[in-house]
Amino acid sequence: MGLKLYGFVPSNATFRALVSLYEKDLDVEFVKVHMAAREHKTPQFLSRNPFGQVPVLEDGDITVFESRAITQYVARAYADKGNELMINNDPKKMAIQSVWMQVESQKFDIPSHKLAIELYYNVLHRGREVDEALVAEYKPKLESVLDVYEQRLKESKYLGGDSFTLVDLHHLPNVYYLMATEVKKLFDARPHVSAWAADILSRPAWVKIVSMLRSEGYV
Amino acid sequence: MGLKLYGFVPSNATFRALVSLYEKDLDVEFVKVHMAAREHKTPQFLSRNPFGQVPVLEDGDITVFESRAITQYVARAYADKGNELMINNDPKKMAIQSVWMQVESQKFDIPSHKLAIELYYNVLHRGREVDEALVAEYKPKLESVLDVYEQRLKESKYLGGDSFTLVDLHHLPNVYYLMATEVKKLFDARPHVSAWAADILSRPAWVKIVSMLRSEGYV
């Protein structure tokens, strides 16, 4: 059967899922969903994901949507392949990993995604005018999260623990996009956050995503 | 040592964590954090949660924050106590459980929480005027999620699978508050969603939370 990922470039959720497959050295067929043609709202696509959104992973008779559910499925189902992406043996370490996984989803995701869409996609890529009100709303929110990250990364090499895990991986697409914008200054001003960002962005699995972006004319 | 939960009434995140402890029949010391006195922003509290928010669970030398990380910790660490709250044996069922756990967090939480804060807390409890623009923004968002839930609950008794799990539990506080507001109509119009809501709200662990709300003058 093989693995099939339905996605869209440069959707950050698509890349969040895809980079987890690359970290696991898995062969995956990437199926581009034609958003402009509203292919994601067809009955066939809605049978894969009733919300009509990408990404969706098909693995034999298992269908998974929501990017963070896909990464967790991949990390568990292919635990013995490629790089380990989850701590699964120590209850205390697992609790810490859960905490920071929730922090990404509940605290980092919204401000970083809003700023990435606006400053990377709308402004840099599509050449639109900056929505200054949006930037003024979300930059301070992102800064307060990065302040907590700076403290956290003084104690721990990665956000979820001593090794790279899904916690860090979930940040990748938004961190990558933001580093091409004025928001990079917020990272530069925090040495531990900045070193962490450089580290996770240099991983071979992410570099493979950047090649894909380049071939699609995004970089 | 014993379990200690730092929280605030009627914080929906506090109740999300607390109801998981009640489902597990665990004795827990509930420590009220005095938000008005900004106790959650003291150095002592920030050492428990650097974001200065409730709830926080202390279990011996383990400290967990973010409500959904607390519930997952409780479900795993006390797997053999009280009611089972997570599917942990079948990879396909676990994948489905992960998907719907993400749906609650990424799709249901924001519209339901915004409407609950506005219509339950601000309007019903504090007697403020309704912010009609906010209601007009989030009601259609909630409706489109409930439409998907109605289809899902036709196939599956609970959102995460055949049995009650954390997926359903995570919805409890917001569902409870919304049922006291005009948003109840959106539930009533969808028979499977409505039956599911009645079912999860009647669980003894949640009834215990309602007693606490009543004793604090909220019901």
Side-chain angles (χ1 to χ4, degrees), chain A:
Chain A
M1 303 285 284
L3 289 156
K4 211 182 254 193
L5 188 78
Y6 296 84
F8 174 69
V9 176
S11 142
N12 88 83
T14 295
F15 287 152
R16 186 177 294 119
L18 190 57
V19 74
S20 74
L21 293 154
Y22 288 168
E23 285 282 351
K24 287 291 180 190
D25 273 332
L26 297 167
D27 281 327
V28 56
E29 183 191 346
F30 184 68
V31 184
K32 268 193 215 168
V33 176
H34 299 282
M35 310 292 274
R38 296 188 63 74
E39 205 186 330
H40 54 306
K41 302 298 180 192
T42 58
Q44 201 186 7
F45 196 84
L46 289 168
S47 74
R48 295 184 192 110
N49 177 355
F51 290 99
Q53 292 179 329
V54 294
V56 174
L57 180 72
E58 282 179 357
D59 186 6
D61 69 336
I62 297 183
T63 302
V64 192
F65 59 92
E66 281 291 325
S67 62
R68 294 168 188 83
I70 295 175
T71 63
Q72 289 178 53
Y73 170 75
V74 168
R76 277 195 215 104
Y78 297 96
D80 54 349
K81 288 260 200 172
N83 299 315
E84 229 181 292
L85 296 177
M86 272 181 114
I87 300 161
N88 276 314
N89 42 15
D90 177 303
K92 186 171 178 177
K93 287 182 180 170
M94 284 168 74
I96 293 169
Q97 176 179 248
S98 288
V99 166
W100 293 93
M101 208 175 284
Q102 289 298 324
V103 167
E104 183 280 329
S105 163
Q106 294 286 327
K107 304 270 186 284
F108 179 82
D109 185 52
I110 289 182
S112 65
H113 188 46
K114 294 272 186 192
L115 291 167
I117 290 277
E118 178 58 19
L119 297 173
Y120 179 86
Y121 190 70
N122 290 341
V123 176
L124 277 187
H125 185 69
R126 309 186 75 180
R128 294 200 190 155
E129 292 263 316
V130 182
D131 177 345
E132 299 288 1
L134 181 145
V135 175
E137 181 180 354
Y138 290 105
K139 245 172 121 170
K141 288 183 181 169
L142 180 61
E143 281 198 87
S144 70
V145 177
L146 294 183
D147 281 341
V148 173
Y149 280 16
E150 182 65 11
Q151 292 306 311
R152 168 74 184 149
L153 292 165
K154 276 182 190 164
E155 297 154 12
S156 177
K157 188 166 178 203
Y158 293 96
L159 286 175
D162 297 332
S163 58
F164 176 86
T165 61
L166 289 186
V167 177
D168 310 292
L169 181 146
H170 288 174
H171 290 78
L172 269 171
N174 286 320
V175 168
Y176 176 80
Y177 294 133
L178 292 176
M179 292 311 254
T181 74
E182 65 179 71
V183 173
K184 181 174 186 294
K185 286 182 205 146
L186 305 187
F187 286 76
D188 293 346
R190 293 166 177 84
H192 290 83
V193 170
S194 176
W196 165 80
D199 178 342
I200 65 173
L201 290 170
S202 70
R203 295 179 69 86
W206 185 256
V207 171
K208 222 171 140 179
I209 300 278
V210 177
S211 307
M212 184 188 247
L213 273 169
R214 190 167 290 133
S215 74
E216 299 270 346
Y218 277 97
V219 186

Side-chain angles (χ1 to χ4, degrees), chain B residues 184-203:
Chain B
K184 181 174 186 295
K185 286 182 208 149
L186 304 187
F187 286 76
D188 292 346
R190 294 165 177 84
H192 291 83
V193 170
S194 176
W196 165 80
D199 178 343
I200 65 173
L201 290 169
S202 69
R203 295 179 68 85

